[in-house]
Amino acid sequence: MRELSIPQGDFMLGAVDRKILAKLQGDFPICERPYAEAAGQIGISEDELLQRLQQLLADKVLTRFGPMFQIEEMGGAFVLAALVAPEERYDEVTALVNELPEVAHNYRREHALNMWFVLATETKDGIAEAIARIERDTGLAVYAFPKEREFFVEMKLEAR
Amino acid sequence: MIDDTDRALIVATQGGLPLVPRPYHALAEQLALSADEVMHRLKTMLETGIIRRIGAVPNHYAIGWTANGMTVWDVADKQVDELGARIGALDFVTHCYRRPRALPAWPYNLFAMVHGASRDECSAKATEIRSLLGDACRQSDILYSTKILKKSGLRIGS
């Protein structure tokens, strides 16, 4: 997965927050005072970094701050799946799908297949179980699109 | 593979690191481990790839990437791996995967995510992908996301 640069433009982030986002999407230190070390690289105090991270999380600019895990590396599975949710049932189906802790992300997309979600389970068998449960709860067919091959170059883009 | 202590560490950090000056010490206290052990285990998980990275996970919409297109392509089976590697190497493609088709509903076997400040920007990127694929591509589509319904990331049970 490649990092996105932060577009210039008309939105609320100030210069310091942009710098935090540009510098802290990876490589957060593992040491006694990691926030102090990271803050030093950004040119602010440890206190300010902690406060700003808290605010960015509260404003939902960040969805999380911490480790991103690769469940396949611990014997689990990560599978993209989709379904066709009838418009009049969209909210109800969303609630039923999101209720499963195995659903890591869920996006509405413009297509006949209008709900796309990622299932993350601790065991390979967990995927089939989660799909069966969603099909049972919603009465809708779930299409699974497990990755057969991943193509990517790991790199980070600078803010443009 | 991971042991019970690693698993406890994952459960304790999957929602985020503590926002305190000594986060690894705070985790150590919570899990009744030494801070050195917490840091050593996290470093090992980074090295083995169990942790992809540690840092900020931005909401794409909130940082200005308001157009998010999942471009999908029906590419000849014989060429999909070679072409997929070239698409994945494009600097604007953030993820690229080969996935199974689900015929007849879903004829596409190559997925590439593109992001932009507008749909025009995404479709210009899709046009670049299209020209790389050439005759090997039979049909394609872009599925734009219109709403994040959930984005919690991994959540394993404690």
Side-chain angles (χ1 to χ4, degrees), chain A residues 110-153:
Chain A
E110 288 180 348
H111 189 272
L113 285 165
N114 57 3
M115 188 178 292
W116 288 79
F117 46 94
V118 171
L119 295 166
T121 61
E122 258 189 284
T123 62
K124 303 252 189 292
D125 296 342
I127 296 291
E129 288 161 22
I131 288 174
R133 167 145 176 226
I134 292 170
E135 290 190 326
R136 195 173 58 237
D137 289 355
T138 62
L140 301 169
V142 170
Y143 294 81
F145 299 102
K147 72 177 171 197
E148 294 174 331
R149 193 158 164 193
E150 181 169 5
F151 308 104
F152 73 98
V153 179

mmCIF file of all heavy atoms in Angstrom, chain A residues 110-153:
data_model
loop_
_atom_site.group_PDB
_atom_site.id
_atom_site.type_symbol
_atom_site.label_atom_id
_atom_site.label_comp_id
_atom_site.label_asym_id
_atom_site.label_seq_id
_atom_site.Cartn_x
_atom_site.Cartn_y
_atom_site.Cartn_z
ATOM 1 N N GLU A 110 -20.687 3.657 -6.325
ATOM 2 C CA GLU A 110 -21.679 3.797 -7.385
ATOM 3 C C GLU A 110 -21.543 2.656 -8.377
ATOM 4 O O GLU A 110 -20.675 2.664 -9.253
ATOM 5 C CB GLU A 110 -21.474 5.140 -8.098
ATOM 6 C CG GLU A 110 -21.884 6.316 -7.258
ATOM 7 C CD GLU A 110 -21.660 7.637 -7.988
ATOM 8 O OE1 GLU A 110 -20.987 7.638 -9.043
ATOM 9 O OE2 GLU A 110 -22.157 8.656 -7.489
ATOM 10 N N HIS A 111 -22.393 1.665 -8.233
ATOM 11 C CA HIS A 111 -22.398 0.499 -9.123
ATOM 12 C C HIS A 111 -23.593 -0.332 -8.676
ATOM 13 O O HIS A 111 -24.120 -0.110 -7.584
ATOM 14 C CB HIS A 111 -21.086 -0.290 -8.957
ATOM 15 C CG HIS A 111 -20.892 -1.389 -9.978
ATOM 16 N ND1 HIS A 111 -21.359 -2.659 -9.805
ATOM 17 C CD2 HIS A 111 -20.289 -1.378 -11.198
ATOM 18 C CE1 HIS A 111 -21.045 -3.397 -10.871
ATOM 19 N NE2 HIS A 111 -20.397 -2.632 -11.726
ATOM 20 N N ALA A 112 -24.011 -1.298 -9.522
ATOM 21 C CA ALA A 112 -25.066 -2.219 -9.068
ATOM 22 C C ALA A 112 -24.592 -2.896 -7.774
ATOM 23 O O ALA A 112 -25.356 -3.030 -6.810
ATOM 24 C CB ALA A 112 -25.363 -3.251 -10.144
ATOM 25 N N LEU A 113 -23.305 -3.304 -7.760
ATOM 26 C CA LEU A 113 -22.722 -3.775 -6.492
ATOM 27 C C LEU A 113 -22.378 -2.500 -5.710
ATOM 28 O O LEU A 113 -21.368 -1.858 -5.954
ATOM 29 C CB LEU A 113 -21.445 -4.596 -6.763
ATOM 30 C CG LEU A 113 -21.656 -6.009 -7.305
ATOM 31 C CD1 LEU A 113 -20.355 -6.571 -7.869
ATOM 32 C CD2 LEU A 113 -22.187 -6.938 -6.213
ATOM 33 N N ASN A 114 -23.259 -2.125 -4.798
ATOM 34 C CA ASN A 114 -23.164 -0.770 -4.219
ATOM 35 C C ASN A 114 -22.621 -0.737 -2.789
ATOM 36 O O ASN A 114 -22.559 0.327 -2.176
ATOM 37 C CB ASN A 114 -24.526 -0.070 -4.300
ATOM 38 C CG ASN A 114 -25.625 -0.863 -3.612
ATOM 39 O OD1 ASN A 114 -25.372 -1.917 -3.019
ATOM 40 N ND2 ASN A 114 -26.846 -0.364 -3.683
ATOM 41 N N MET A 115 -22.219 -1.885 -2.263
ATOM 42 C CA MET A 115 -21.594 -1.899 -0.932
ATOM 43 C C MET A 115 -20.353 -2.792 -1.007
ATOM 44 O O MET A 115 -20.445 -3.963 -1.356
ATOM 45 C CB MET A 115 -22.577 -2.428 0.115
ATOM 46 C CG MET A 115 -22.065 -2.280 1.549
ATOM 47 S SD MET A 115 -23.256 -2.865 2.792
ATOM 48 C CE MET A 115 -24.559 -1.663 2.637
ATOM 49 N N TRP A 116 -19.198 -2.200 -0.690
ATOM 50 C CA TRP A 116 -17.910 -2.920 -0.784
ATOM 51 C C TRP A 116 -17.234 -2.882 0.576
ATOM 52 O O TRP A 116 -16.997 -1.816 1.121
ATOM 53 C CB TRP A 116 -17.014 -2.247 -1.833
ATOM 54 C CG TRP A 116 -17.486 -2.491 -3.231
ATOM 55 C CD1 TRP A 116 -18.514 -1.856 -3.878
ATOM 56 C CD2 TRP A 116 -16.969 -3.464 -4.155
ATOM 57 N NE1 TRP A 116 -18.660 -2.366 -5.146
ATOM 58 C CE2 TRP A 116 -17.723 -3.344 -5.340
ATOM 59 C CE3 TRP A 116 -15.938 -4.404 -4.093
ATOM 60 C CZ2 TRP A 116 -17.478 -4.145 -6.460
ATOM 61 C CZ3 TRP A 116 -15.693 -5.202 -5.207
ATOM 62 C CH2 TRP A 116 -16.461 -5.069 -6.376
ATOM 63 N N PHE A 117 -16.939 -4.052 1.100
ATOM 64 C CA PHE A 117 -16.342 -4.088 2.440
ATOM 65 C C PHE A 117 -15.166 -5.054 2.479
ATOM 66 O O PHE A 117 -15.028 -5.927 1.629
ATOM 67 C CB PHE A 117 -17.389 -4.457 3.500
ATOM 68 C CG PHE A 117 -18.264 -5.626 3.152
ATOM 69 C CD1 PHE A 117 -17.940 -6.899 3.568
ATOM 70 C CD2 PHE A 117 -19.415 -5.438 2.391
ATOM 71 C CE1 PHE A 117 -18.744 -7.988 3.242
ATOM 72 C CE2 PHE A 117 -20.226 -6.524 2.045
ATOM 73 C CZ PHE A 117 -19.891 -7.781 2.476
ATOM 74 N N VAL A 118 -14.317 -4.855 3.476
ATOM 75 C CA VAL A 118 -13.153 -5.718 3.670
ATOM 76 C C VAL A 118 -13.364 -6.515 4.946
ATOM 77 O O VAL A 118 -13.663 -5.945 5.996
ATOM 78 C CB VAL A 118 -11.863 -4.889 3.762
ATOM 79 C CG1 VAL A 118 -10.692 -5.754 4.186
ATOM 80 C CG2 VAL A 118 -11.563 -4.229 2.418
ATOM 81 N N LEU A 119 -13.233 -7.820 4.816
ATOM 82 C CA LEU A 119 -13.333 -8.703 5.978
ATOM 83 C C LEU A 119 -11.923 -9.062 6.434
ATOM 84 O O LEU A 119 -11.083 -9.441 5.615
ATOM 85 C CB LEU A 119 -14.064 -9.994 5.599
ATOM 86 C CG LEU A 119 -15.535 -9.823 5.189
ATOM 87 C CD1 LEU A 119 -16.044 -11.104 4.519
ATOM 88 C CD2 LEU A 119 -16.376 -9.496 6.411
ATOM 89 N N ALA A 120 -11.656 -8.897 7.711
ATOM 90 C CA ALA A 120 -10.359 -9.271 8.273
ATOM 91 C C ALA A 120 -10.633 -10.281 9.384
ATOM 92 O O ALA A 120 -11.322 -9.970 10.350
ATOM 93 C CB ALA A 120 -9.650 -8.042 8.844
ATOM 94 N N THR A 121 -10.124 -11.494 9.217
ATOM 95 C CA THR A 121 -10.391 -12.521 10.227
ATOM 96 C C THR A 121 -9.091 -13.178 10.670
ATOM 97 O O THR A 121 -8.125 -13.241 9.915
ATOM 98 C CB THR A 121 -11.354 -13.616 9.694
ATOM 99 O OG1 THR A 121 -10.755 -14.249 8.570
ATOM 100 C CG2 THR A 121 -12.683 -13.004 9.286
ATOM 101 N N GLU A 122 -9.124 -13.679 11.899
ATOM 102 C CA GLU A 122 -7.896 -14.237 12.476
ATOM 103 C C GLU A 122 -7.526 -15.582 11.896
ATOM 104 O O GLU A 122 -6.388 -16.005 12.007
ATOM 105 C CB GLU A 122 -8.099 -14.407 13.978
ATOM 106 C CG GLU A 122 -7.436 -13.330 14.765
ATOM 107 C CD GLU A 122 -7.479 -13.669 16.235
ATOM 108 O OE1 GLU A 122 -8.565 -13.508 16.817
ATOM 109 O OE2 GLU A 122 -6.444 -14.077 16.782
ATOM 110 N N THR A 123 -8.506 -16.267 11.326
ATOM 111 C CA THR A 123 -8.206 -17.552 10.696
ATOM 112 C C THR A 123 -8.756 -17.507 9.271
ATOM 113 O O THR A 123 -9.655 -16.727 8.968
ATOM 114 C CB THR A 123 -8.897 -18.724 11.420
ATOM 115 O OG1 THR A 123 -10.323 -18.524 11.343
ATOM 116 C CG2 THR A 123 -8.486 -18.805 12.879
ATOM 117 N N LYS A 124 -8.211 -18.357 8.418
ATOM 118 C CA LYS A 124 -8.686 -18.409 7.034
ATOM 119 C C LYS A 124 -10.170 -18.806 6.978
ATOM 120 O O LYS A 124 -10.917 -18.280 6.159
ATOM 121 C CB LYS A 124 -7.853 -19.414 6.237
ATOM 122 C CG LYS A 124 -6.370 -19.107 6.259
ATOM 123 C CD LYS A 124 -5.868 -18.593 4.930
ATOM 124 C CE LYS A 124 -4.360 -18.481 4.876
ATOM 125 N NZ LYS A 124 -3.754 -17.450 5.731
ATOM 126 N N ASP A 125 -10.577 -19.724 7.865
ATOM 127 C CA ASP A 125 -11.977 -20.171 7.868
ATOM 128 C C ASP A 125 -12.936 -19.075 8.289
ATOM 129 O O ASP A 125 -14.129 -19.134 7.996
ATOM 130 C CB ASP A 125 -12.159 -21.347 8.850
ATOM 131 C CG ASP A 125 -11.371 -22.572 8.408
ATOM 132 O OD1 ASP A 125 -10.989 -22.625 7.224
ATOM 133 O OD2 ASP A 125 -11.150 -23.463 9.250
ATOM 134 N N GLY A 126 -12.415 -18.083 8.995
ATOM 135 C CA GLY A 126 -13.269 -17.013 9.490
ATOM 136 C C GLY A 126 -13.978 -16.253 8.381
ATOM 137 O O GLY A 126 -15.072 -15.726 8.572
ATOM 138 N N ILE A 127 -13.347 -16.192 7.202
ATOM 139 C CA ILE A 127 -13.939 -15.450 6.081
ATOM 140 C C ILE A 127 -15.271 -16.076 5.667
ATOM 141 O O ILE A 127 -16.290 -15.393 5.554
ATOM 142 C CB ILE A 127 -12.971 -15.409 4.874
ATOM 143 C CG1 ILE A 127 -11.703 -14.634 5.241
ATOM 144 C CG2 ILE A 127 -13.652 -14.814 3.645
ATOM 145 C CD1 ILE A 127 -11.868 -13.147 5.454
ATOM 146 N N ALA A 128 -15.242 -17.402 5.439
ATOM 147 C CA ALA A 128 -16.463 -18.092 5.002
ATOM 148 C C ALA A 128 -17.563 -17.942 6.058
ATOM 149 O O ALA A 128 -18.735 -17.750 5.730
ATOM 150 C CB ALA A 128 -16.168 -19.561 4.729
ATOM 151 N N GLU A 129 -17.155 -18.000 7.327
ATOM 152 C CA GLU A 129 -18.154 -17.862 8.405
ATOM 153 C C GLU A 129 -18.767 -16.465 8.400
ATOM 154 O O GLU A 129 -19.984 -16.311 8.564
ATOM 155 C CB GLU A 129 -17.495 -18.126 9.771
ATOM 156 C CG GLU A 129 -17.162 -19.592 9.997
ATOM 157 C CD GLU A 129 -16.111 -19.797 11.102
ATOM 158 O OE1 GLU A 129 -15.951 -18.893 11.970
ATOM 159 O OE2 GLU A 129 -15.462 -20.861 11.090
ATOM 160 N N ALA A 130 -17.932 -15.443 8.227
ATOM 161 C CA ALA A 130 -18.451 -14.072 8.228
ATOM 162 C C ALA A 130 -19.373 -13.846 7.034
ATOM 163 O O ALA A 130 -20.428 -13.219 7.151
ATOM 164 C CB ALA A 130 -17.289 -13.079 8.206
ATOM 165 N N ILE A 131 -18.983 -14.384 5.872
ATOM 166 C CA ILE A 131 -19.823 -14.229 4.682
ATOM 167 C C ILE A 131 -21.161 -14.938 4.885
ATOM 168 O O ILE A 131 -22.222 -14.386 4.580
ATOM 169 C CB ILE A 131 -19.084 -14.759 3.429
ATOM 170 C CG1 ILE A 131 -17.962 -13.782 3.057
ATOM 171 C CG2 ILE A 131 -20.042 -14.943 2.253
ATOM 172 C CD1 ILE A 131 -17.068 -14.239 1.928
ATOM 173 N N ALA A 132 -21.109 -16.135 5.436
ATOM 174 C CA ALA A 132 -22.356 -16.877 5.680
ATOM 175 C C ALA A 132 -23.260 -16.098 6.626
ATOM 176 O O ALA A 132 -24.481 -16.016 6.434
ATOM 177 C CB ALA A 132 -22.041 -18.268 6.243
ATOM 178 N N ARG A 133 -22.651 -15.473 7.631
ATOM 179 C CA ARG A 133 -23.469 -14.726 8.588
ATOM 180 C C ARG A 133 -24.109 -13.495 7.925
ATOM 181 O O ARG A 133 -25.283 -13.195 8.153
ATOM 182 C CB ARG A 133 -22.612 -14.307 9.788
ATOM 183 C CG ARG A 133 -23.331 -13.295 10.615
ATOM 184 C CD ARG A 133 -23.129 -13.356 12.091
ATOM 185 N NE ARG A 133 -23.863 -12.212 12.631
ATOM 186 C CZ ARG A 133 -23.379 -11.385 13.524
ATOM 187 N NH1 ARG A 133 -22.193 -11.585 14.041
ATOM 188 N NH2 ARG A 133 -24.101 -10.373 13.942
ATOM 189 N N ILE A 134 -23.343 -12.790 7.089
ATOM 190 C CA ILE A 134 -23.900 -11.616 6.413
ATOM 191 C C ILE A 134 -25.024 -12.040 5.469
ATOM 192 O O ILE A 134 -26.080 -11.392 5.410
ATOM 193 C CB ILE A 134 -22.793 -10.844 5.659
ATOM 194 C CG1 ILE A 134 -21.834 -10.202 6.676
ATOM 195 C CG2 ILE A 134 -23.391 -9.768 4.745
ATOM 196 C CD1 ILE A 134 -20.577 -9.612 6.078
ATOM 197 N N GLU A 135 -24.812 -13.149 4.767
ATOM 198 C CA GLU A 135 -25.867 -13.614 3.858
ATOM 199 C C GLU A 135 -27.122 -14.006 4.631
ATOM 200 O O GLU A 135 -28.240 -13.702 4.221
ATOM 201 C CB GLU A 135 -25.353 -14.792 3.014
ATOM 202 C CG GLU A 135 -24.307 -14.338 1.997
ATOM 203 C CD GLU A 135 -23.927 -15.403 0.976
ATOM 204 O OE1 GLU A 135 -23.906 -16.605 1.350
ATOM 205 O OE2 GLU A 135 -23.647 -15.029 -0.183
ATOM 206 N N ARG A 136 -26.932 -14.629 5.779
ATOM 207 C CA ARG A 136 -28.076 -15.043 6.604
ATOM 208 C C ARG A 136 -28.778 -13.812 7.181
ATOM 209 O O ARG A 136 -29.996 -13.691 7.112
ATOM 210 C CB ARG A 136 -27.582 -15.961 7.726
ATOM 211 C CG ARG A 136 -28.666 -16.751 8.430
ATOM 212 C CD ARG A 136 -28.062 -17.754 9.405
ATOM 213 N NE ARG A 136 -27.217 -17.107 10.406
ATOM 214 C CZ ARG A 136 -25.931 -17.400 10.616
ATOM 215 N NH1 ARG A 136 -25.328 -18.327 9.908
ATOM 216 N NH2 ARG A 136 -25.246 -16.773 11.560
ATOM 217 N N ASP A 137 -28.006 -12.875 7.717
ATOM 218 C CA ASP A 137 -28.604 -11.697 8.360
ATOM 219 C C ASP A 137 -29.324 -10.794 7.366
ATOM 220 O O ASP A 137 -30.342 -10.198 7.686
ATOM 221 C CB ASP A 137 -27.524 -10.866 9.078
ATOM 222 C CG ASP A 137 -26.994 -11.556 10.325
ATOM 223 O OD1 ASP A 137 -27.531 -12.632 10.670
ATOM 224 O OD2 ASP A 137 -26.046 -11.027 10.934
ATOM 225 N N THR A 138 -28.747 -10.649 6.160
ATOM 226 C CA THR A 138 -29.309 -9.685 5.206
ATOM 227 C C THR A 138 -30.213 -10.342 4.161
ATOM 228 O O THR A 138 -31.010 -9.663 3.516
ATOM 229 C CB THR A 138 -28.191 -8.961 4.413
ATOM 230 O OG1 THR A 138 -27.466 -9.936 3.650
ATOM 231 C CG2 THR A 138 -27.250 -8.212 5.341
ATOM 232 N N GLY A 139 -30.075 -11.664 3.952
ATOM 233 C CA GLY A 139 -30.798 -12.333 2.880
ATOM 234 C C GLY A 139 -30.246 -11.981 1.503
ATOM 235 O O GLY A 139 -30.891 -12.240 0.483
ATOM 236 N N LEU A 140 -29.038 -11.384 1.457
ATOM 237 C CA LEU A 140 -28.451 -10.967 0.180
ATOM 238 C C LEU A 140 -27.203 -11.801 -0.127
ATOM 239 O O LEU A 140 -26.521 -12.252 0.788
ATOM 240 C CB LEU A 140 -28.058 -9.483 0.239
ATOM 241 C CG LEU A 140 -29.190 -8.503 0.548
ATOM 242 C CD1 LEU A 140 -28.628 -7.119 0.845
ATOM 243 C CD2 LEU A 140 -30.192 -8.439 -0.604
ATOM 244 N N ALA A 141 -26.937 -11.988 -1.427
ATOM 245 C CA ALA A 141 -25.750 -12.745 -1.830
ATOM 246 C C ALA A 141 -24.506 -11.871 -1.669
ATOM 247 O O ALA A 141 -24.525 -10.693 -2.011
ATOM 248 C CB ALA A 141 -25.881 -13.191 -3.278
ATOM 249 N N VAL A 142 -23.441 -12.465 -1.144
ATOM 250 C CA VAL A 142 -22.167 -11.747 -0.984
ATOM 251 C C VAL A 142 -21.176 -12.283 -2.028
ATOM 252 O O VAL A 142 -21.022 -13.489 -2.187
ATOM 253 C CB VAL A 142 -21.588 -11.951 0.432
ATOM 254 C CG1 VAL A 142 -20.163 -11.421 0.528
ATOM 255 C CG2 VAL A 142 -22.486 -11.294 1.477
ATOM 256 N N TYR A 143 -20.576 -11.379 -2.770
ATOM 257 C CA TYR A 143 -19.529 -11.739 -3.726
ATOM 258 C C TYR A 143 -18.185 -11.537 -3.040
ATOM 259 O O TYR A 143 -17.930 -10.453 -2.517
ATOM 260 C CB TYR A 143 -19.574 -10.829 -4.953
ATOM 261 C CG TYR A 143 -20.821 -10.982 -5.792
ATOM 262 C CD1 TYR A 143 -22.016 -10.350 -5.437
ATOM 263 C CD2 TYR A 143 -20.797 -11.757 -6.954
ATOM 264 C CE1 TYR A 143 -23.157 -10.491 -6.210
ATOM 265 C CE2 TYR A 143 -21.929 -11.900 -7.742
ATOM 266 C CZ TYR A 143 -23.111 -11.266 -7.356
ATOM 267 O OH TYR A 143 -24.230 -11.408 -8.126
ATOM 268 N N ALA A 144 -17.335 -12.565 -3.041
ATOM 269 C CA ALA A 144 -16.016 -12.426 -2.415
ATOM 270 C C ALA A 144 -14.964 -12.289 -3.505
ATOM 271 O O ALA A 144 -15.000 -13.004 -4.507
ATOM 272 C CB ALA A 144 -15.716 -13.643 -1.553
ATOM 273 N N PHE A 145 -14.049 -11.346 -3.306
ATOM 274 C CA PHE A 145 -12.974 -11.114 -4.263
ATOM 275 C C PHE A 145 -11.616 -11.214 -3.555
ATOM 276 O O PHE A 145 -10.935 -10.203 -3.359
ATOM 277 C CB PHE A 145 -13.124 -9.740 -4.919
ATOM 278 C CG PHE A 145 -14.413 -9.571 -5.694
ATOM 279 C CD1 PHE A 145 -15.476 -8.855 -5.155
ATOM 280 C CD2 PHE A 145 -14.551 -10.138 -6.953
ATOM 281 C CE1 PHE A 145 -16.663 -8.699 -5.865
ATOM 282 C CE2 PHE A 145 -15.735 -9.988 -7.672
ATOM 283 C CZ PHE A 145 -16.794 -9.267 -7.127
ATOM 284 N N PRO A 146 -11.247 -12.427 -3.133
ATOM 285 C CA PRO A 146 -9.952 -12.563 -2.455
ATOM 286 C C PRO A 146 -8.826 -12.174 -3.404
ATOM 287 O O PRO A 146 -8.924 -12.403 -4.607
ATOM 288 C CB PRO A 146 -9.878 -14.059 -2.133
ATOM 289 C CG PRO A 146 -10.812 -14.716 -3.099
ATOM 290 C CD PRO A 146 -11.897 -13.721 -3.380
ATOM 291 N N LYS A 147 -7.770 -11.578 -2.851
ATOM 292 C CA LYS A 147 -6.683 -11.210 -3.763
ATOM 293 C C LYS A 147 -5.945 -12.464 -4.178
ATOM 294 O O LYS A 147 -5.640 -13.341 -3.363
ATOM 295 C CB LYS A 147 -5.773 -10.175 -3.132
ATOM 296 C CG LYS A 147 -4.896 -10.668 -2.026
ATOM 297 C CD LYS A 147 -3.993 -9.545 -1.532
ATOM 298 C CE LYS A 147 -3.282 -9.989 -0.274
ATOM 299 N NZ LYS A 147 -2.729 -8.870 0.478
ATOM 300 N N GLU A 148 -5.655 -12.561 -5.471
ATOM 301 C CA GLU A 148 -4.872 -13.686 -5.977
ATOM 302 C C GLU A 148 -3.412 -13.270 -6.101
ATOM 303 O O GLU A 148 -2.520 -14.094 -6.058
ATOM 304 C CB GLU A 148 -5.412 -14.127 -7.336
ATOM 305 C CG GLU A 148 -6.810 -14.710 -7.214
ATOM 306 C CD GLU A 148 -7.428 -15.035 -8.552
ATOM 307 O OE1 GLU A 148 -7.112 -14.377 -9.566
ATOM 308 O OE2 GLU A 148 -8.267 -15.945 -8.589
ATOM 309 N N ARG A 149 -3.222 -11.971 -6.283
ATOM 310 C CA ARG A 149 -1.859 -11.458 -6.357
ATOM 311 C C ARG A 149 -1.886 -9.970 -6.052
ATOM 312 O O ARG A 149 -2.836 -9.283 -6.434
ATOM 313 C CB ARG A 149 -1.323 -11.703 -7.762
ATOM 314 C CG ARG A 149 0.144 -11.494 -7.800
ATOM 315 C CD ARG A 149 0.812 -12.180 -8.937
ATOM 316 N NE ARG A 149 2.127 -11.561 -9.044
ATOM 317 C CZ ARG A 149 2.935 -11.702 -10.065
ATOM 318 N NH1 ARG A 149 2.579 -12.447 -11.084
ATOM 319 N NH2 ARG A 149 4.095 -11.094 -10.082
ATOM 320 N N GLU A 150 -0.878 -9.496 -5.339
ATOM 321 C CA GLU A 150 -0.791 -8.080 -4.999
ATOM 322 C C GLU A 150 0.355 -7.472 -5.805
ATOM 323 O O GLU A 150 1.454 -8.005 -5.835
ATOM 324 C CB GLU A 150 -0.509 -7.940 -3.498
ATOM 325 C CG GLU A 150 -0.416 -6.509 -3.026
ATOM 326 C CD GLU A 150 -0.402 -6.379 -1.503
ATOM 327 O OE1 GLU A 150 -0.369 -7.419 -0.806
ATOM 328 O OE2 GLU A 150 -0.429 -5.238 -1.023
ATOM 329 N N PHE A 151 0.072 -6.374 -6.485
ATOM 330 C CA PHE A 151 1.116 -5.662 -7.238
ATOM 331 C C PHE A 151 1.297 -4.316 -6.584
ATOM 332 O O PHE A 151 0.362 -3.528 -6.551
ATOM 333 C CB PHE A 151 0.676 -5.394 -8.676
ATOM 334 C CG PHE A 151 0.186 -6.607 -9.416
ATOM 335 C CD1 PHE A 151 -1.173 -6.792 -9.630
ATOM 336 C CD2 PHE A 151 1.072 -7.558 -9.899
ATOM 337 C CE1 PHE A 151 -1.637 -7.896 -10.324
ATOM 338 C CE2 PHE A 151 0.606 -8.663 -10.598
ATOM 339 C CZ PHE A 151 -0.749 -8.831 -10.812
ATOM 340 N N PHE A 152 2.431 -4.039 -6.027
ATOM 341 C CA PHE A 152 2.640 -2.690 -5.540
ATOM 342 C C PHE A 152 4.100 -2.410 -5.305
ATOM 343 O O PHE A 152 4.916 -3.301 -5.199
ATOM 344 C CB PHE A 152 1.848 -2.407 -4.266
ATOM 345 C CG PHE A 152 2.395 -3.090 -3.054
ATOM 346 C CD1 PHE A 152 3.215 -2.414 -2.165
ATOM 347 C CD2 PHE A 152 2.115 -4.409 -2.805
ATOM 348 C CE1 PHE A 152 3.745 -3.061 -1.056
ATOM 349 C CE2 PHE A 152 2.629 -5.056 -1.701
ATOM 350 C CZ PHE A 152 3.441 -4.375 -0.833
ATOM 351 N N VAL A 153 4.393 -1.132 -5.250
ATOM 352 C CA VAL A 153 5.737 -0.692 -4.900
ATOM 353 C C VAL A 153 5.568 0.125 -3.634
ATOM 354 O O VAL A 153 4.779 1.064 -3.602
ATOM 355 C CB VAL A 153 6.331 0.195 -6.001
ATOM 356 C CG1 VAL A 153 7.722 0.652 -5.607
ATOM 357 C CG2 VAL A 153 6.360 -0.531 -7.319
#
